[in-house]
Amino acid sequence: MIYIKYHSCSQVILEGPELNIIREHFSVKNEAAHFQRRMGRFVPSRTYVITNNGKVDIGLLEEIIEFCMQKQIAVSQPENIKNILYPSLSKTYTYPYELKLKLREYQQEIIDKCITKGRGTVVLATAGGKTLTMAGLLEFYYKNFSRNFKCLIIVPDLGLVNQTKGDFTEYNTSFTTSKWTGKDELNLSSNVIVANLGILQSSKQDISWIEHIDLLIIDEVHKLRRGNKVNKILCKIKTNNRFGFTGTLPPDNLDKWNIFGKIGPQLFEKMAHELRDEKYVTPARVHVLEINYSTPTSQIYQGNNSNAFYLQESEFIRSNTYRNNLISKLCNKLDNNALILVDYIEHGELLTAALQEICKKKKVYFIQGSVETDERKKIQNYMEKKKNIIVVAISKIFSTGINIKNLHYIIFAGGGKAKIKIVQSIGRGLRLHNDKEELIIFDIADNLRYGQRHVEERLTLYDNEDIKYKFTSYNERNETKKEKEKG
């Protein structure tokens, strides 16, 4: 028997003889333990979500109870804990809460589940309409529950603050919305305050008011990683009505359990291939460009320290003239707008220079952190209206929260294997457009030590997303290419 006892509005304590069984299940191997011990430091071999004395975030209770049921462990929990775990917004509602855009069937299903449960995490693939779903949920709350409610929406960056506020205006919502950023003053008289992470984490800001909000929504909640500073901010918020929206949950269990614990259990999931099958987004296919270099590996990987080889390989592909020119020649042949994602500023600068030299008839832009939010928005608007525009962008900036319908090509020029970044990036081009029949993704695969491993992981991801792909091999030495297809 496991007994669940109230500790605070955000945590409970588990007690009972089976506690260690549950703790072990909700733990992961500590990969750094072996190295740390060699350095003379004691580090536990596993990292646990549940503390030694059984303390755990209340949002994780649903998964804990489900595990106990599987293991036939009896669970005892008082009624007040059930009410905190599932703080239903309302059992019934009377007033309609339609918006300017009609909600899709699955969006209405998400809102209904949020209303019934009162808290939780929603996984809705990019281009599935997360912002519209949020607006529908808030419109319900305003029309049926309280016209004086206070909601905080946390988004990762300034671009998403502006986009969310703009979308709510476009949807013709009844509730009032304001922005809170370094440029926009806090307006506590509005129903909904959209804030970026940076302003909340600023030591110069008074955030005591967040303790008393009625609703909390975190967009791109996959960024709520274990150990992030924002976790401490969430602990100050007393409301149990909290929701997280994301296109992809993090692959690491600790990060996933942290989200469920702080926000609530997963309420809904709709994958990208489901949206494609139901004709809500543009079909996609991948063209993998495999590059075989003429440079001897002994010149790429220097010295005997294998830990340095990854950085050496990364530096090689970023600065490789053949590779950057190949991408530029490809872009010169494309008949519409293209987004090229890179991970490093220096790579973006080299690639932009090559593009400007080769693609004489195209407009080329490079978006990095120093480019103001207003300027980024101008470029996005320009892409919506024009053709033959190439945007090179740092992946951290453009992989999430950017809405460009008139985008036909995406090029992954940075390599890597990060699942969330890839899936979110693909979503940039999945939105429907009158002149777009499909989104074509070019995946640059480097036939090198780490490049081979990473492309295999990306191919697995494409398989999981049910995206067809084909290969074209390029050989630097003799400039030949060979094609093979999968799917």
Side-chain angles (χ1 to χ4, degrees):
M1 172 74 77
I2 282 291
Y3 297 90
I4 302 172
K5 295 186 176 182
Y6 179 84
H7 180 263
S8 68
C9 62
S10 61
Q11 288 188 318
V12 294
I13 293 178
L14 309 180
E15 292 181 352
E18 293 90 352
L19 175 59
N20 285 338
I21 298 173
I22 301 172
R23 287 191 73 236
E24 203 65 25
H25 175 76
F26 289 93
S27 69
V28 299
K29 183 180 179 182
N30 187 349
E31 301 294 344
H34 177 70
F35 174 76
Q36 294 287 347
R37 285 172 178 173
R38 288 179 61 186
M39 300 291 290
R41 305 176 189 137
F42 174 75
V43 177
S45 59
R46 300 189 69 80
T47 303
Y48 294 86
V49 172
I50 305 170
T51 65
N52 285 327
N53 62 2
K55 192 185 298 182
V56 64
D57 290 331
I58 196 167
L60 196 58
L61 264 187
E62 184 172 286
E63 290 216 359
I64 291 172
I65 293 170
E66 186 177 329
F67 173 74
C68 289
M69 290 174 63
Q70 292 172 0
K71 295 296 182 181
Q72 297 184 331
I73 300 172
V75 177
S76 173
Q77 61 173 322
E79 195 65 32
N80 67 327
I81 290 178
K82 292 181 183 178
N83 294 334
I84 295 173
L85 180 58
Y86 300 118
S88 174
L89 294 174
S90 179
K91 295 297 182 184
T92 60
Y93 52 91
T94 306
Y95 299 103
Y97 54 97
E98 290 87 357
L99 297 169
K100 184 177 179 180
L101 293 181
K102 185 178 179 180
L103 292 168
R104 297 169 182 172
E105 186 176 333
Y106 66 82
Q107 292 170 332
Q108 185 63 65
E109 182 183 348
I110 292 170
I111 294 172
D112 290 342
K113 286 189 175 182
C114 289
I115 292 168
T116 303
K117 296 289 188 180
R119 72 186 300 160
T121 305
V122 174
V123 182
L124 177 57
T126 306
K130 294 196 300 295
T131 311
L132 179 60
T133 307
M134 291 179 208
L137 174 61
L138 291 169
E139 190 73 7
F140 161 80
Y141 200 90
Y142 178 77
K143 291 285 183 63
N144 292 276
F145 204 72
S146 171
R147 303 216 169 194
N148 297 313
F149 80 98
K150 193 75 61 192
C151 172
L152 170 63
I153 299 181
I154 302 176
V155 299
D157 53 50
L158 291 172
L160 264 177
V161 171
N162 295 324
Q163 184 175 306
T164 303
K165 171 69 167 63
D167 287 346
F168 283 179
T169 301
E170 182 183 340
Y171 303 151
N172 198 25
T173 56
S174 303
F175 54 85
T176 56
T177 306
S178 65
K179 300 183 294 183
W180 185 37
T181 68
K183 295 181 178 179
D184 303 285
E185 294 292 328
L186 177 64
N187 179 8
L188 289 174
S189 65
S190 58
N191 295 120
V192 177
I193 298 167
V194 186
N196 61 304
L197 274 173
I199 196 74
L200 285 167
Q201 294 173 341
S202 172
S203 59
K204 299 178 181 179
Q205 300 296 334
D206 177 11
I207 60 170
S208 58
W209 61 272
I210 68 174
E211 295 182 26
H212 310 294
I213 62 173
D214 302 296
L215 279 171
L216 170 67
I217 294 178
I218 301 183
D219 192 15
E220 308 294 354
V221 75
H222 61 270
K223 294 180 179 289
L224 183 60
R225 301 300 174 90
R226 191 171 185 265
N228 283 4
K229 291 181 181 178
V230 72
N231 286 288
K232 293 183 179 179
I233 296 173
L234 297 186
C235 292
K236 298 179 181 179
I237 299 174
K238 295 178 180 178
T239 182
N240 293 310
N241 292 131
R242 47 182 70 193
F243 303 96
F245 287 80
T246 181
T248 315
L249 283 171
D252 182 89
N253 276 334
L254 286 179
D255 289 328
K256 193 184 304 181
W257 291 330
N258 183 63
I259 291 170
F260 293 162
K262 296 290 190 303
I263 304 301
Q266 183 171 321
L267 301 178
F268 183 90
E269 181 177 29
K270 197 169 191 69
M271 306 294 287
H273 66 83
E274 295 177 271
L275 292 174
R276 290 198 301 272
D277 292 344
E278 295 169 19
K279 311 298 183 186
Y280 287 123
V281 298
T282 303
R285 62 184 171 93
V286 176
H287 196 158
V288 182
L289 309 183
E290 182 184 50
I291 303 179
N292 299 296
Y293 296 97
S294 61
T295 305
T297 56
S298 59
Q299 293 183 24
I300 300 173
Y301 310 105
Q302 307 270 331
N304 299 318
N305 184 3
S306 59
N307 294 326
F309 289 169
Y310 176 77
L311 294 176
Q312 291 172 359
E313 180 177 307
S314 179
E315 170 63 25
F316 171 78
I317 65 173
R318 294 200 305 267
S319 59
N320 187 270
T321 302
Y322 173 76
R323 188 181 193 271
N324 289 334
N325 285 343
L326 178 66
I327 294 172
S328 301
K329 290 174 183 177
L330 166 68
C331 288
N332 197 40
K333 295 177 182 178
L334 300 181
D335 57 0
N336 221 308
N337 297 335
L339 171 64
I340 305 175
L341 294 170
V342 297
D343 294 327
Y344 297 90
I345 291 175
E346 67 218 53
H347 187 196
E349 291 172 341
L350 289 170
L351 197 47
T352 299
L355 287 162
Q356 290 171 338
E357 178 66 28
I358 293 172
C359 306
K360 299 289 189 182
K361 296 182 179 180
K362 295 178 182 282
K363 288 278 188 180
V364 181
Y365 299 93
F366 178 34
I367 296 182
Q368 53 178 299
S370 61
V371 178
E372 292 291 335
T373 304
D374 291 344
E375 183 63 23
R376 298 177 200 176
K377 190 65 179 177
K378 286 181 183 177
I379 295 171
Q380 285 178 237
N381 292 337
Y382 195 49
M383 289 185 80
E384 293 288 14
K385 299 174 183 177
K386 301 289 184 179
K387 292 185 176 182
N388 291 315
I389 297 169
I390 303 169
V391 172
V392 182
I394 301 297
S395 57
K396 286 183 179 180
I397 296 175
F398 250 58
S399 63
T400 58
I402 304 299
N403 184 358
I404 304 173
K405 296 178 182 178
N406 192 23
L407 177 60
H408 294 66
Y409 306 98
I410 294 178
I411 301 173
F412 291 146
K417 59 179 180 178
K419 174 187 174 183
I420 290 177
K421 181 183 75 175
I422 294 168
V423 172
Q424 297 275 11
S425 298
I426 291 172
R428 298 308 109 223
L430 290 180
R431 289 172 172 82
L432 298 172
H433 189 272
N434 292 335
D435 296 332
K436 182 168 60 177
E437 294 182 1
E438 65 178 352
L439 171 69
I440 299 177
I441 300 154
F442 293 98
D443 186 319
I444 311 300
D446 303 285
N447 193 6
L448 297 168
R449 181 191 296 255
Y450 294 97
Q452 289 175 331
R453 300 178 197 174
H454 291 171
V455 74
E456 286 298 325
E457 297 199 32
R458 296 199 298 272
L459 294 180
T460 300
L461 189 150
Y462 299 143
D463 286 333
N464 292 339
E465 293 288 326
D466 197 26
I467 299 177
K468 300 289 188 285
Y469 53 84
K470 72 173 184 178
F471 281 80
T472 301
S473 293
Y474 289 83
N475 297 306
E476 181 181 10
R477 190 179 301 279
N478 52 20
E479 294 280 14
T480 61
K481 65 179 182 179
K482 183 180 180 181
E483 294 188 1
K484 55 182 177 179
E485 191 162 335
K486 196 273 186 189

